[in-house]
Amino acid sequence: MELDPNDYRQALERASEHALDWITSLPERSVPPEIDVGGLLAAIDRPLPDDGADPAAVVDELATLAEPGLMAMPSGRFFGWVIGGTLPAAMGADWLVSAWDQNAAMRYPTPATAALEQVAGSWLLDVLGLPPESDVGFTTGATMANWTGLAAARAFVLDAVDWDVNTDGMTGAPRVTVLAGAERHTSLDLALRYLGFGAPTLVDADDQGRILVDDLRAHLDRVDGPVIVCLQAGNLHSGAFDPMRAAIRLAHEHRAWVHVDGAFGLWAAASPTLRPALAGVEDADSWATDAHKTLNVPYDCGVAIVSRPSVTRAALGTQTAYLIRDPADVSEPFDLVPEMSRRARGVPVWAALRQLGRTGVEDLVDRLVRNARALADGLRELPDVQVVNDVAFTQVCLTFGSDERTRAVTARLIDDGAVWMSGSQWRGQAVLRISVSNWSTDDADVRFSIEAVRRAVAAVDG
Ligand SMILES: *Cc1c(COP(=O)(O)O)cnc(C)c1O
């Protein structure tokens, strides 16, 4: 079949127009989707047609079918989970990554993406204040970035007791103790499960969800054999950071590998004002973060950082005749992540960092935190509303007097559609959870969002 450039031109022009329609609708549109999955399937589910269609018409059809089922996640009024939007340069870069269609596994066949990802990795280490010699791999998200750091940890601590996990696996291996805070993110448990560790041993946390160093010490004193300590930068509910310096020093005294899940919170290190809250984090052995959250690149992009390059490659690297290694014998992209074939998802990271520059990254992080504090300050003025966390970063948790009222306000707010915030359960009570992660949220969005919650409270109180 012949390649007709016009097919691409028309499909891409249609895509670009639909994309701009979507983006320009964000400031005005209602945040939740108009229809649920069942409703959308009722409208669009049908057998695969026998006949094909014109590429541009397919793009038109797709945009029309999807529209009622799209959530305005990139809106400045979306505060659910921890999501983030997309910076313009990152979006443009992401489109180019699709057009270039490079399989980013190896350096030799795809020098452009390998070099750009390497520069993006160095820039990330620089803005996050992490050791410049670390390996940086681009994964689907923080779940697999956690997996990558913990795979390196597993190889390292087992090698130290003369167990080669690559050859001998986990069956019959020396028992590895994995310690994690009681309020770790559930994705850490998934990563541990995928690595054959089972569930972590839990260390007590304080009222903000931070690991208690005394309890960590008590656990470490009891451990005999290989040990991995998992810390957290950025608690999902409070935004709080584990006490890095003290916990890492203690863990290293016990010859533990220290892994930090900093999916969104590691970005505090990019702000000179916030960096002291993470002091010492650079002494850990591995870190996981997301670019698709705080940095605002499109889904998906996680970042796996390991301070000991030979360990990542020993844990994840491979060699067969048909893969080509760089003659310089440096690590290949596929040595640093679980995937072999993958898109060059580090390229939008390069573009986001290039658009922002160092001061732009600082401003982005500071602005998210300022907005979170402004939301907390505005909302605590409402009747019977309590902010239940110290707003240390981008997260705010609210209660409305009783679990019942909190849940009713949350439901009413989502119904109203002007903003989107998630309900959750934290420290034994129902909460309305706010995560400020979108680069475009501004003062007007904050005022508007406070008004939306005020309306929801008034509607619930009747
Ligand atoms: C979001 C998040 C994760 C999981 O990241 P994914 O990108 O969804 O894989 C892990 N830890 C924390 C603290 C998170 O906020």
Side-chain angles (χ1 to χ4, degrees):
M1 224 152 82
E2 204 176 328
L3 184 153
D4 181 351
N6 271 324
D7 283 344
Y8 284 99
R9 181 164 296 114
Q10 284 159 13
L12 290 174
E13 280 171 3
R14 296 308 299 141
S16 165
E17 220 165 286
H18 291 299
L20 287 168
D21 283 350
W22 165 249
I23 289 162
T24 52
S25 79
L26 291 172
E28 302 300 330
R29 73 187 289 134
S30 182
V31 182
E34 284 164 27
I35 195 168
D36 65 9
V37 180
L40 195 58
L41 281 172
I44 75 168
D45 193 17
R46 56 176 177 145
L48 175 66
D50 286 335
D51 295 326
D54 171 67
V58 172
V59 173
D60 282 337
E61 183 182 337
L62 173 65
T64 308
L65 292 178
E67 166 68 26
L70 292 174
M71 166 81 97
M73 278 191 169
S75 153
R77 292 171 284 117
F78 184 88
F79 303 101
W81 302 286
V82 184
I83 300 291
T86 297
L87 291 160
M91 191 177 300
D94 197 60
W95 289 8
L96 280 181
V97 167
S98 291
W100 294 337
D101 198 18
Q102 309 282 290
N103 181 335
M106 289 176 278
R107 292 163 60 93
Y108 163 75
T110 54
T113 56
L116 285 162
E117 286 196 336
Q118 190 171 322
V119 174
S122 303
W123 287 354
L124 281 172
L125 295 175
D126 182 16
V127 296
L128 297 173
L130 298 178
E133 300 308 316
S134 307
D135 275 334
V136 181
F138 295 98
T139 60
T140 48
T143 306
M144 291 317 287
N146 278 329
W147 182 93
T148 302
L150 291 166
R154 183 179 70 166
F156 185 82
V157 300
L158 283 174
D159 184 66
V161 291
D162 295 323
W163 184 269
D164 177 359
V165 71
N166 286 356
T167 309
D168 297 321
M170 288 296 273
T171 308
R175 174 95 198 158
V176 178
T177 302
V178 181
L179 299 172
E183 292 206 17
R184 79 239 168 261
H185 191 275
T186 186
S187 78
L188 195 86
D189 292 37
L190 289 177
L192 292 169
R193 198 191 295 171
Y194 305 158
L195 287 162
F197 282 125
T201 302
L202 298 186
V203 179
D204 288 344
D206 69 10
D207 65 344
Q208 299 299 311
R210 291 174 294 225
I211 206 166
L212 285 170
V213 175
D214 284 344
D215 196 45
L216 178 63
R217 180 179 295 110
H219 278 282
L220 283 167
D221 284 343
R222 284 199 295 272
V223 171
D224 184 25
V227 56
I228 298 170
V229 172
C230 303
L231 300 177
Q232 180 167 258
N235 177 290
L236 207 53
H237 289 99
S238 68
F241 312 106
D242 284 346
M244 294 295 165
R245 173 107 49 217
I248 294 170
R249 186 179 295 155
L250 180 64
H252 281 165
E253 281 165 16
H254 288 77
R255 289 197 301 281
W257 177 287
V258 181
H259 172 76
V260 177
D261 175 6
F264 64 98
L266 203 57
W267 290 88
S271 153
T273 8
L274 296 164
R275 190 173 276 190
L278 279 177
V281 73
E282 65 279 4
D283 295 330
D285 301 289
S286 57
W287 306 262
T289 193
D290 269 321
H292 56 214
K293 292 178 178 171
T294 315
L295 186 61
N296 281 255
V297 306
Y299 278 80
D300 51 23
C301 186
V303 187
I305 305 169
V306 179
S307 70
R308 304 161 188 264
S310 55
V311 180
T312 328
R313 183 164 159 188
L316 303 182
T318 187
Q319 181 62 58
T320 74
Y322 99 120
L323 299 173
I324 302 173
R325 279 201 172 272
D326 191 299
D329 199 35
V330 291
S331 286
E332 297 288 337
F334 71 73
D335 291 325
L336 309 179
V337 293
E339 294 87 4
M340 297 218 78
S341 299
R342 64 173 177 86
R343 73 190 273 102
R345 56 171 67 87
V347 171
V349 172
W350 180 92
L353 291 170
R354 179 70 188 89
Q355 183 192 321
L356 294 172
R358 181 188 305 283
T359 54
V361 177
E362 291 173 18
D363 289 347
L364 166 64
V365 174
D366 287 340
R367 194 165 68 243
L368 298 178
V369 177
R370 212 166 44 243
N371 286 334
R373 294 200 175 129
L375 280 163
D377 290 343
L379 291 168
R380 73 171 109 238
E381 300 296 316
L382 302 183
D384 296 319
V385 175
Q386 255 203 313
V387 175
V388 291
N389 65 310
D390 300 337
V391 184
F393 197 48
T394 52
Q395 312 296 103
V396 184
C397 277
L398 303 159
T399 57
F400 293 77
S402 69
D403 282 4
E404 200 191 350
R405 189 164 176 257
T406 300
R407 291 200 186 101
V409 171
T410 305
R412 179 69 220 180
L413 193 62
I414 288 175
D415 244 21
D416 176 81
V419 304
W420 214 98
M421 299 169 179
S422 327
S424 185
Q425 186 83 15
W426 188 47
R427 303 192 72 76
Q429 56 187 343
V431 292
L432 176 67
R433 229 184 114 263
I434 296 174
S435 174
V436 185
S437 308
N438 190 296
W439 69 274
S440 74
T441 300
D442 61 13
D443 294 348
D445 289 321
V446 167
R447 282 194 302 274
F448 187 86
S449 302
I450 294 167
E451 270 321 297
V453 178
R454 187 196 306 278
R455 272 201 308 281
V457 169
V460 164
D461 292 345

mmCIF file of all heavy atoms in Angstrom, residues 239-277:
data_model
loop_
_atom_site.group_PDB
_atom_site.id
_atom_site.type_symbol
_atom_site.label_atom_id
_atom_site.label_comp_id
_atom_site.label_asym_id
_atom_site.label_seq_id
_atom_site.Cartn_x
_atom_site.Cartn_y
_atom_site.Cartn_z
ATOM 1 N N GLY A 239 0.258 15.260 52.168
ATOM 2 C CA GLY A 239 1.385 15.833 51.441
ATOM 3 C C GLY A 239 2.697 15.746 52.218
ATOM 4 O O GLY A 239 3.743 16.139 51.709
ATOM 5 N N ALA A 240 2.646 15.218 53.457
ATOM 6 C CA ALA A 240 3.825 15.252 54.339
ATOM 7 C C ALA A 240 4.963 14.368 53.834
ATOM 8 O O ALA A 240 4.758 13.403 53.105
ATOM 9 C CB ALA A 240 3.425 14.812 55.746
ATOM 10 N N PHE A 241 6.171 14.734 54.276
ATOM 11 C CA PHE A 241 7.391 14.017 53.895
ATOM 12 C C PHE A 241 7.940 13.253 55.091
ATOM 13 O O PHE A 241 7.982 13.794 56.200
ATOM 14 C CB PHE A 241 8.460 15.021 53.427
ATOM 15 C CG PHE A 241 7.946 16.024 52.435
ATOM 16 C CD1 PHE A 241 7.713 17.341 52.807
ATOM 17 C CD2 PHE A 241 7.668 15.649 51.127
ATOM 18 C CE1 PHE A 241 7.210 18.267 51.896
ATOM 19 C CE2 PHE A 241 7.176 16.567 50.209
ATOM 20 C CZ PHE A 241 6.940 17.876 50.592
ATOM 21 N N ASP A 242 8.377 12.033 54.868
ATOM 22 C CA ASP A 242 9.054 11.302 55.938
ATOM 23 C C ASP A 242 10.318 12.073 56.342
ATOM 24 O O ASP A 242 10.908 12.763 55.506
ATOM 25 C CB ASP A 242 9.434 9.888 55.470
ATOM 26 C CG ASP A 242 8.227 8.950 55.435
ATOM 27 O OD1 ASP A 242 7.181 9.310 56.014
ATOM 28 O OD2 ASP A 242 8.340 7.869 54.826
ATOM 29 N N PRO A 243 10.747 11.931 57.591
ATOM 30 C CA PRO A 243 11.976 12.621 58.032
ATOM 31 C C PRO A 243 13.189 11.950 57.390
ATOM 32 O O PRO A 243 13.738 10.980 57.908
ATOM 33 C CB PRO A 243 11.967 12.428 59.562
ATOM 34 C CG PRO A 243 11.082 11.254 59.808
ATOM 35 C CD PRO A 243 10.124 11.142 58.671
ATOM 36 N N MET A 244 13.592 12.494 56.243
ATOM 37 C CA MET A 244 14.563 11.803 55.395
ATOM 38 C C MET A 244 15.912 11.615 56.061
ATOM 39 O O MET A 244 16.437 10.506 56.123
ATOM 40 C CB MET A 244 14.738 12.571 54.073
ATOM 41 C CG MET A 244 13.486 12.566 53.218
ATOM 42 S SD MET A 244 13.092 10.887 52.651
ATOM 43 C CE MET A 244 11.402 11.119 52.093
ATOM 44 N N ARG A 245 16.502 12.720 56.535
ATOM 45 C CA ARG A 245 17.877 12.635 57.034
ATOM 46 C C ARG A 245 17.989 11.566 58.125
ATOM 47 O O ARG A 245 18.819 10.663 58.032
ATOM 48 C CB ARG A 245 18.319 14.000 57.571
ATOM 49 C CG ARG A 245 19.645 13.987 58.253
ATOM 50 C CD ARG A 245 20.803 14.624 57.512
ATOM 51 N NE ARG A 245 20.536 15.938 56.982
ATOM 52 C CZ ARG A 245 21.003 16.377 55.804
ATOM 53 N NH1 ARG A 245 21.726 15.575 55.049
ATOM 54 N NH2 ARG A 245 20.734 17.594 55.394
ATOM 55 N N ALA A 246 17.119 11.646 59.121
ATOM 56 C CA ALA A 246 17.216 10.735 60.268
ATOM 57 C C ALA A 246 16.928 9.294 59.852
ATOM 58 O O ALA A 246 17.638 8.362 60.250
ATOM 59 C CB ALA A 246 16.245 11.179 61.358
ATOM 60 N N ALA A 247 15.896 9.105 59.028
ATOM 61 C CA ALA A 247 15.508 7.737 58.658
ATOM 62 C C ALA A 247 16.568 7.093 57.762
ATOM 63 O O ALA A 247 16.887 5.906 57.919
ATOM 64 C CB ALA A 247 14.152 7.755 57.954
ATOM 65 N N ILE A 248 17.132 7.872 56.844
ATOM 66 C CA ILE A 248 18.121 7.296 55.918
ATOM 67 C C ILE A 248 19.418 6.965 56.670
ATOM 68 O O ILE A 248 20.009 5.902 56.488
ATOM 69 C CB ILE A 248 18.380 8.260 54.731
ATOM 70 C CG1 ILE A 248 17.117 8.385 53.883
ATOM 71 C CG2 ILE A 248 19.554 7.764 53.884
ATOM 72 C CD1 ILE A 248 17.158 9.473 52.816
ATOM 73 N N ARG A 249 19.827 7.874 57.561
ATOM 74 C CA ARG A 249 21.055 7.615 58.325
ATOM 75 C C ARG A 249 20.903 6.323 59.139
ATOM 76 O O ARG A 249 21.764 5.441 59.119
ATOM 77 C CB ARG A 249 21.348 8.803 59.237
ATOM 78 C CG ARG A 249 22.684 8.672 59.959
ATOM 79 C CD ARG A 249 22.963 9.884 60.832
ATOM 80 N NE ARG A 249 23.125 11.102 60.044
ATOM 81 C CZ ARG A 249 22.912 12.331 60.506
ATOM 82 N NH1 ARG A 249 22.471 12.506 61.740
ATOM 83 N NH2 ARG A 249 23.113 13.384 59.757
ATOM 84 N N LEU A 250 19.762 6.225 59.806
ATOM 85 C CA LEU A 250 19.493 5.043 60.634
ATOM 86 C C LEU A 250 19.485 3.768 59.780
ATOM 87 O O LEU A 250 20.103 2.751 60.130
ATOM 88 C CB LEU A 250 18.138 5.241 61.315
ATOM 89 C CG LEU A 250 17.635 4.145 62.223
ATOM 90 C CD1 LEU A 250 18.567 3.995 63.430
ATOM 91 C CD2 LEU A 250 16.215 4.485 62.699
ATOM 92 N N ALA A 251 18.799 3.834 58.651
ATOM 93 C CA ALA A 251 18.700 2.648 57.776
ATOM 94 C C ALA A 251 20.080 2.245 57.271
ATOM 95 O O ALA A 251 20.415 1.051 57.233
ATOM 96 C CB ALA A 251 17.764 2.948 56.609
ATOM 97 N N HIS A 252 20.884 3.226 56.907
ATOM 98 C CA HIS A 252 22.223 2.903 56.399
ATOM 99 C C HIS A 252 23.117 2.325 57.492
ATOM 100 O O HIS A 252 23.967 1.476 57.223
ATOM 101 C CB HIS A 252 22.860 4.135 55.743
ATOM 102 C CG HIS A 252 22.342 4.374 54.348
ATOM 103 N ND1 HIS A 252 22.524 5.555 53.666
ATOM 104 C CD2 HIS A 252 21.651 3.567 53.499
ATOM 105 C CE1 HIS A 252 21.962 5.470 52.454
ATOM 106 N NE2 HIS A 252 21.422 4.278 52.341
ATOM 107 N N GLU A 253 22.906 2.760 58.731
ATOM 108 C CA GLU A 253 23.665 2.152 59.837
ATOM 109 C C GLU A 253 23.367 0.657 59.936
ATOM 110 O O GLU A 253 24.189 -0.114 60.403
ATOM 111 C CB GLU A 253 23.303 2.830 61.179
ATOM 112 C CG GLU A 253 24.003 4.170 61.378
ATOM 113 C CD GLU A 253 23.365 4.997 62.514
ATOM 114 O OE1 GLU A 253 22.594 4.430 63.329
ATOM 115 O OE2 GLU A 253 23.633 6.212 62.547
ATOM 116 N N HIS A 254 22.178 0.286 59.490
ATOM 117 C CA HIS A 254 21.794 -1.136 59.497
ATOM 118 C C HIS A 254 22.017 -1.782 58.133
ATOM 119 O O HIS A 254 21.444 -2.818 57.837
ATOM 120 C CB HIS A 254 20.328 -1.278 59.935
ATOM 121 C CG HIS A 254 20.117 -1.005 61.391
ATOM 122 N ND1 HIS A 254 20.090 0.271 61.924
ATOM 123 C CD2 HIS A 254 19.962 -1.846 62.443
ATOM 124 C CE1 HIS A 254 19.892 0.200 63.231
ATOM 125 N NE2 HIS A 254 19.813 -1.072 63.569
ATOM 126 N N ARG A 255 22.808 -1.135 57.298
ATOM 127 C CA ARG A 255 23.167 -1.628 55.961
ATOM 128 C C ARG A 255 21.940 -1.908 55.085
ATOM 129 O O ARG A 255 21.939 -2.814 54.252
ATOM 130 C CB ARG A 255 24.047 -2.885 56.050
ATOM 131 C CG ARG A 255 25.455 -2.546 56.557
ATOM 132 C CD ARG A 255 26.434 -3.661 56.259
ATOM 133 N NE ARG A 255 26.049 -4.937 56.871
ATOM 134 C CZ ARG A 255 26.247 -5.217 58.156
ATOM 135 N NH1 ARG A 255 26.817 -4.333 58.952
ATOM 136 N NH2 ARG A 255 25.874 -6.376 58.630
ATOM 137 N N ALA A 256 20.872 -1.143 55.308
ATOM 138 C CA ALA A 256 19.671 -1.289 54.482
ATOM 139 C C ALA A 256 19.837 -0.496 53.190
ATOM 140 O O ALA A 256 20.565 0.499 53.146
ATOM 141 C CB ALA A 256 18.450 -0.782 55.244
ATOM 142 N N TRP A 257 19.138 -0.926 52.150
ATOM 143 C CA TRP A 257 18.947 -0.115 50.936
ATOM 144 C C TRP A 257 17.746 0.774 51.220
ATOM 145 O O TRP A 257 16.729 0.301 51.761
ATOM 146 C CB TRP A 257 18.668 -1.022 49.753
ATOM 147 C CG TRP A 257 18.382 -0.300 48.462
ATOM 148 C CD1 TRP A 257 17.243 0.390 48.149
ATOM 149 C CD2 TRP A 257 19.225 -0.222 47.310
ATOM 150 N NE1 TRP A 257 17.338 0.897 46.871
ATOM 151 C CE2 TRP A 257 18.549 0.532 46.333
ATOM 152 C CE3 TRP A 257 20.504 -0.717 47.007
ATOM 153 C CZ2 TRP A 257 19.087 0.795 45.074
ATOM 154 C CZ3 TRP A 257 21.034 -0.450 45.746
ATOM 155 C CH2 TRP A 257 20.328 0.308 44.799
ATOM 156 N N VAL A 258 17.854 2.050 50.869
ATOM 157 C CA VAL A 258 16.724 2.956 51.101
ATOM 158 C C VAL A 258 16.119 3.394 49.774
ATOM 159 O O VAL A 258 16.805 3.966 48.912
ATOM 160 C CB VAL A 258 17.147 4.208 51.905
ATOM 161 C CG1 VAL A 258 15.938 5.112 52.136
ATOM 162 C CG2 VAL A 258 17.770 3.801 53.232
ATOM 163 N N HIS A 259 14.831 3.112 49.618
ATOM 164 C CA HIS A 259 14.091 3.529 48.422
ATOM 165 C C HIS A 259 13.061 4.581 48.831
ATOM 166 O O HIS A 259 12.372 4.421 49.841
ATOM 167 C CB HIS A 259 13.389 2.328 47.787
ATOM 168 C CG HIS A 259 12.472 2.723 46.674
ATOM 169 N ND1 HIS A 259 12.943 3.072 45.430
ATOM 170 C CD2 HIS A 259 11.119 2.869 46.623
ATOM 171 C CE1 HIS A 259 11.919 3.400 44.652
ATOM 172 N NE2 HIS A 259 10.801 3.290 45.350
ATOM 173 N N VAL A 260 12.946 5.632 48.024
ATOM 174 C CA VAL A 260 11.991 6.705 48.329
ATOM 175 C C VAL A 260 10.914 6.761 47.254
ATOM 176 O O VAL A 260 11.221 6.938 46.063
ATOM 177 C CB VAL A 260 12.710 8.079 48.404
ATOM 178 C CG1 VAL A 260 11.696 9.199 48.652
ATOM 179 C CG2 VAL A 260 13.773 8.071 49.494
ATOM 180 N N ASP A 261 9.654 6.597 47.669
ATOM 181 C CA ASP A 261 8.530 6.844 46.765
ATOM 182 C C ASP A 261 8.187 8.327 46.861
ATOM 183 O O ASP A 261 7.611 8.769 47.852
ATOM 184 C CB ASP A 261 7.324 5.980 47.165
ATOM 185 C CG ASP A 261 6.084 6.303 46.319
ATOM 186 O OD1 ASP A 261 6.188 7.100 45.361
ATOM 187 O OD2 ASP A 261 5.006 5.748 46.629
ATOM 188 N N GLY A 262 8.565 9.061 45.808
ATOM 189 C CA GLY A 262 8.285 10.499 45.791
ATOM 190 C C GLY A 262 7.489 10.855 44.552
ATOM 191 O O GLY A 262 7.829 11.804 43.833
ATOM 192 N N ALA A 263 6.433 10.094 44.296
ATOM 193 C CA ALA A 263 5.682 10.209 43.038
ATOM 194 C C ALA A 263 5.373 11.666 42.699
ATOM 195 O O ALA A 263 5.579 12.115 41.580
ATOM 196 C CB ALA A 263 4.397 9.399 43.117
ATOM 197 N N PHE A 264 4.880 12.407 43.698
ATOM 198 C CA PHE A 264 4.669 13.842 43.452
ATOM 199 C C PHE A 264 5.510 14.689 44.405
ATOM 200 O O PHE A 264 5.981 15.759 44.059
ATOM 201 C CB PHE A 264 3.173 14.210 43.535
ATOM 202 C CG PHE A 264 2.554 14.020 44.889
ATOM 203 C CD1 PHE A 264 2.413 15.084 45.749
ATOM 204 C CD2 PHE A 264 2.121 12.758 45.310
ATOM 205 C CE1 PHE A 264 1.846 14.908 47.012
ATOM 206 C CE2 PHE A 264 1.560 12.580 46.567
ATOM 207 C CZ PHE A 264 1.426 13.653 47.420
ATOM 208 N N GLY A 265 5.765 14.152 45.624
ATOM 209 C CA GLY A 265 6.409 14.956 46.659
ATOM 210 C C GLY A 265 7.887 15.209 46.436
ATOM 211 O O GLY A 265 8.436 16.172 46.974
ATOM 212 N N LEU A 266 8.546 14.354 45.628
ATOM 213 C CA LEU A 266 9.977 14.581 45.392
ATOM 214 C C LEU A 266 10.208 15.934 44.743
ATOM 215 O O LEU A 266 11.290 16.517 44.845
ATOM 216 C CB LEU A 266 10.528 13.458 44.504
ATOM 217 C CG LEU A 266 12.031 13.177 44.564
ATOM 218 C CD1 LEU A 266 12.479 12.852 45.983
ATOM 219 C CD2 LEU A 266 12.410 12.047 43.624
ATOM 220 N N TRP A 267 9.160 16.464 44.083
ATOM 221 C CA TRP A 267 9.278 17.756 43.401
ATOM 222 C C TRP A 267 9.432 18.916 44.361
ATOM 223 O O TRP A 267 9.813 20.014 43.943
ATOM 224 C CB TRP A 267 8.097 17.950 42.442
ATOM 225 C CG TRP A 267 8.246 16.999 41.307
ATOM 226 C CD1 TRP A 267 7.786 15.714 41.244
ATOM 227 C CD2 TRP A 267 8.993 17.207 40.108
ATOM 228 N NE1 TRP A 267 8.199 15.116 40.082
ATOM 229 C CE2 TRP A 267 8.938 16.016 39.365
ATOM 230 C CE3 TRP A 267 9.708 18.288 39.600
ATOM 231 C CZ2 TRP A 267 9.571 15.876 38.130
ATOM 232 C CZ3 TRP A 267 10.331 18.162 38.370
ATOM 233 C CH2 TRP A 267 10.261 16.958 37.651
ATOM 234 N N ALA A 268 9.147 18.696 45.643
ATOM 235 C CA ALA A 268 9.403 19.761 46.626
ATOM 236 C C ALA A 268 10.878 20.143 46.601
ATOM 237 O O ALA A 268 11.240 21.298 46.871
ATOM 238 C CB ALA A 268 9.001 19.297 48.028
ATOM 239 N N ALA A 269 11.739 19.182 46.243
ATOM 240 C CA ALA A 269 13.177 19.451 46.207
ATOM 241 C C ALA A 269 13.539 20.457 45.113
ATOM 242 O O ALA A 269 14.622 21.040 45.123
ATOM 243 C CB ALA A 269 13.949 18.153 46.001
ATOM 244 N N ALA A 270 12.628 20.670 44.159
ATOM 245 C CA ALA A 270 12.902 21.625 43.082
ATOM 246 C C ALA A 270 12.672 23.068 43.523
ATOM 247 O O ALA A 270 13.023 24.000 42.807
ATOM 248 C CB ALA A 270 12.032 21.312 41.867
ATOM 249 N N SER A 271 12.067 23.251 44.700
ATOM 250 C CA SER A 271 11.795 24.600 45.196
ATOM 251 C C SER A 271 12.734 24.936 46.339
ATOM 252 O O SER A 271 12.753 24.236 47.353
ATOM 253 C CB SER A 271 10.339 24.683 45.692
ATOM 254 O OG SER A 271 10.231 25.674 46.696
ATOM 255 N N PRO A 272 13.518 26.009 46.209
ATOM 256 C CA PRO A 272 14.432 26.374 47.293
ATOM 257 C C PRO A 272 13.713 26.566 48.630
ATOM 258 O O PRO A 272 14.262 26.238 49.674
ATOM 259 C CB PRO A 272 15.055 27.689 46.817
ATOM 260 C CG PRO A 272 14.910 27.672 45.337
ATOM 261 C CD PRO A 272 13.652 26.903 45.039
ATOM 262 N N THR A 273 12.478 27.059 48.600
ATOM 263 C CA THR A 273 11.753 27.262 49.866
ATOM 264 C C THR A 273 11.348 25.928 50.493
ATOM 265 O O THR A 273 11.302 25.805 51.710
ATOM 266 C CB THR A 273 10.448 28.072 49.647
ATOM 267 O OG1 THR A 273 10.234 28.239 48.256
ATOM 268 C CG2 THR A 273 10.473 29.389 50.352
ATOM 269 N N LEU A 274 10.999 24.950 49.657
ATOM 270 C CA LEU A 274 10.488 23.692 50.200
ATOM 271 C C LEU A 274 11.574 22.648 50.417
ATOM 272 O O LEU A 274 11.392 21.700 51.163
ATOM 273 C CB LEU A 274 9.432 23.111 49.235
ATOM 274 C CG LEU A 274 8.179 23.965 49.061
ATOM 275 C CD1 LEU A 274 7.408 23.525 47.841
ATOM 276 C CD2 LEU A 274 7.311 23.885 50.305
ATOM 277 N N ARG A 275 12.719 22.829 49.740
ATOM 278 C CA ARG A 275 13.756 21.794 49.764
ATOM 279 C C ARG A 275 14.171 21.361 51.176
ATOM 280 O O ARG A 275 14.398 20.168 51.414
ATOM 281 C CB ARG A 275 14.973 22.260 48.961
ATOM 282 C CG ARG A 275 15.989 21.175 48.738
ATOM 283 C CD ARG A 275 17.113 21.595 47.808
ATOM 284 N NE ARG A 275 16.758 21.433 46.405
ATOM 285 C CZ ARG A 275 17.641 21.548 45.400
ATOM 286 N NH1 ARG A 275 18.895 21.820 45.663
ATOM 287 N NH2 ARG A 275 17.255 21.380 44.155
ATOM 288 N N PRO A 276 14.243 22.291 52.166
ATOM 289 C CA PRO A 276 14.636 21.863 53.515
ATOM 290 C C PRO A 276 13.744 20.749 54.079
ATOM 291 O O PRO A 276 14.213 19.934 54.875
ATOM 292 C CB PRO A 276 14.499 23.149 54.342
ATOM 293 C CG PRO A 276 14.702 24.249 53.350
ATOM 294 C CD PRO A 276 14.118 23.762 52.062
ATOM 295 N N ALA A 277 12.482 20.690 53.652
ATOM 296 C CA ALA A 277 11.585 19.647 54.163
ATOM 297 C C ALA A 277 12.029 18.259 53.712
ATOM 298 O O ALA A 277 11.611 17.252 54.281
ATOM 299 C CB ALA A 277 10.150 19.920 53.694
#
